[in-house]
Amino acid sequence: MGYLFNSWSSGNLEVGDAATWLAAISTLGAAVGTVGSLVMLNRQHKQNVEHQERVWKKQEDSLDFARYRDHKAQFEQLLDSLEDKHKSFYAFKDKTQLYRRLFPNNSPRNEYSEYKFKLSPSDLTDQHPLKNAWEYIDKVDRIIRTHGAGRVVQRGAEEDFEIYPNPTPIHQLEDPIFRTASHLGLTCTRTPKTGDLINTDEVFASVFDPLVMRTHSNDIFESINEFCGLESPRKKGLIYSPIGIGFEMLYYYRREDVPEYNSVSSGHYRIVDILFKLDRLAKLLHHDHVFSFFVRSLFGVPWNKALLVEFEDKEKIIDYLEQATIHLGIVIGQSEHLPELKNQAIDVLDYIKKQTSTT
């Protein structure tokens, strides 16, 4: 530009040269303008891309939140159905807290991309409620397996069934049953019934069905475990309550050294203790003895659950005790019985008379 001005002012600039220079300047200006436009277009493009990414991110977050909201709602619906199914046994203390414990990633502290709606075994840390609950469910099962269980052993040319030599003390069922419920966020709602074993004010078992609470908490565990997308850790097979295990628990919880917060709901006329005494006496007699048949034919082991409700009816208990008194008289009057057996029958009879005369 300086050269063009000096040439023009000194009169040395030819018309053709000026035109050439002006064309060059125009071209340069156009080029500069084009570059500027490209820069602006590029900047605008980046802004559009960033805006679109923000829109997409917002849409993704909205979809993820909707998925989280629906997942949580489905979980609460499941818990509502479980409470309805097990309403006479358990209820959930805090459904929202249980959800957070089961799905710790689903927290406002995390990005939605970190949320999980199905779990894998690797998600079950040492503190995860499902891992902890299963450990105590399995502990109950392992204790039960040591009672009435055994193995076939070869003794010379014959096979023999050998009972498990050292069964785990049956009262150790209490703690894992409570801990299972605790890890699942459950609180006991069962109103104590005749035969129930109680810690403070919560039922954990029954003389007539030692696994009554464990059965319900296990069913709740399996339902929640399935909702979380996990396979059941249970191996195939059934867990049952061996015959007589309830009376083993009763025997333990009647001991003087048992803590005061443990109690047994004995029912009208202390019918549970009377049945325990009748069962012990029946075991001393042959299984086809009329007294043994009487003890096991109505309420006897395995317990007829349809008839157990009659334990809440005083009139029906009185009728049963009158029949028991007659059959005890038969045992006492039979000369072939040893004095020790007769004396035990007399003790049971005296106990029945005492309970029916004072209540």
Side-chain angles (χ1 to χ4, degrees):
M1 287 293 291
Y3 171 77
L4 181 60
F5 177 77
N6 291 334
S7 298
W8 176 78
S9 60
S10 62
N12 296 324
L13 182 65
E14 298 292 336
V15 175
D17 294 338
T20 301
W21 279 101
L22 286 173
I25 292 170
S26 297
T27 301
L28 177 61
V32 171
T34 300
V35 172
S37 297
L38 290 174
V39 170
M40 291 183 64
L41 286 173
N42 185 58
R43 181 180 300 171
Q44 187 176 11
H45 174 71
K46 286 184 177 180
Q47 290 175 343
N48 290 339
V49 170
E50 290 173 356
H51 173 72
Q52 189 62 48
E53 287 178 347
R54 287 195 297 270
V55 171
W56 287 340
K57 180 67 165 61
K58 189 174 182 179
Q59 290 176 342
E60 288 175 358
D61 287 349
S62 179
L63 290 172
D64 287 339
F65 177 77
R67 188 181 180 194
Y68 158 72
R69 181 191 58 203
D70 292 345
H71 183 256
K72 191 168 182 292
Q74 291 169 6
F75 177 74
E76 291 179 351
Q77 289 172 5
L78 170 67
L79 298 195
D80 288 342
S81 67
L82 289 174
E83 278 188 329
D84 185 62
K85 181 179 180 180
H86 304 280
K87 60 186 175 183
S88 298
F89 300 90
Y90 284 117
F92 292 97
K93 298 177 184 177
D94 189 328
K95 297 174 185 177
T96 299
Q97 184 184 50
L98 179 59
Y99 181 85
R100 290 172 181 166
R101 292 172 58 219
L102 289 168
F103 301 95
N105 281 39
N106 301 4
S107 166
R109 297 189 300 269
N110 297 329
E111 294 289 332
Y112 285 121
S113 59
E114 298 179 45
Y115 279 34
K116 286 191 174 184
F117 304 108
K118 294 295 181 183
L119 303 180
S120 64
S122 62
D123 293 316
L124 303 185
T125 64
D126 290 342
Q127 301 303 316
H128 197 277
L130 288 180
K131 180 179 176 63
N132 294 149
W134 170 250
E135 287 175 350
Y136 287 108
I137 290 173
D138 187 55
K139 184 174 182 180
V140 170
D141 293 353
R142 284 186 280 113
I143 291 173
I144 290 296
R145 289 190 190 102
T146 68
H147 288 262
R151 60 178 181 172
V152 175
V153 294
Q154 194 73 31
R155 301 190 189 282
E158 298 181 355
E159 290 184 342
D160 192 15
F161 184 76
E162 186 178 80
I163 296 294
Y164 195 93
N166 298 304
T168 306
I170 197 59
H171 69 274
Q172 291 187 19
L173 287 174
E174 179 181 352
D175 180 67
I177 288 174
F178 274 122
R179 289 184 181 274
T180 299
S182 176
H183 286 297
L184 294 175
L186 298 170
T187 183
C188 175
T189 59
R190 180 175 171 88
T191 301
K193 302 182 183 301
T194 300
D196 281 356
L197 302 172
I198 305 162
N199 180 317
T200 310
D201 58 353
E202 292 193 29
V203 176
F204 63 90
S206 168
V207 171
F208 306 117
D209 186 0
L211 300 183
V212 59
M213 300 305 288
R214 171 254 177 227
T215 299
H216 288 273
S217 61
N218 178 71
D219 184 76
I220 292 170
F221 165 83
E222 293 288 356
S223 296
I224 294 176
N225 191 68
E226 183 179 3
F227 178 86
C228 293
L230 297 165
E231 293 185 5
S232 173
R234 178 174 301 287
K235 297 178 181 179
K236 292 183 179 180
L238 298 175
I239 292 297
Y240 66 97
S241 179
I243 291 176
I245 198 172
F247 279 147
E248 287 186 46
M249 297 185 76
L250 176 65
Y251 181 76
Y252 173 82
Y253 285 102
R254 283 295 186 221
R255 287 169 34 174
E256 294 183 358
D257 59 343
V258 170
E260 293 184 0
Y261 52 75
N262 279 120
S263 61
V264 181
S265 180
S266 296
H268 301 302
Y269 309 110
R270 298 183 73 86
I271 182 62
V272 173
D273 296 276
I274 291 173
L275 288 173
F276 174 56
K277 293 177 182 293
L278 291 174
D279 183 72
R280 286 206 301 176
L281 179 60
K283 288 177 179 177
L284 300 177
L285 297 165
H286 196 273
H287 69 275
D288 60 357
H289 190 281
V290 63
F291 181 80
S292 299
F293 180 76
F294 161 74
V295 170
R296 290 174 173 81
S297 63
L298 188 56
F299 295 119
V301 180
W303 302 104
N304 186 327
K305 294 183 180 180
L307 293 174
L308 291 182
V309 297
E310 297 184 1
F311 284 143
E312 310 302 329
D313 188 327
K314 294 182 71 173
E315 294 295 327
K316 291 186 177 180
I317 290 177
I318 283 293
D319 181 63
Y320 178 76
L321 293 180
E322 287 176 351
Q323 295 179 55
T325 299
I326 294 172
H327 283 82
L328 284 167
I330 294 174
V331 174
I332 294 169
Q334 290 176 329
S335 58
E336 68 269 23
H337 296 314
L338 295 174
E340 292 82 359
L341 190 149
K342 287 188 177 184
N343 289 336
Q344 185 167 332
I346 293 171
D347 289 341
V348 176
L349 184 60
D350 289 342
Y351 187 80
I352 291 175
K353 290 180 179 178
K354 179 182 177 180
Q355 299 308 319
T356 54
S357 65
T358 58
T359 56

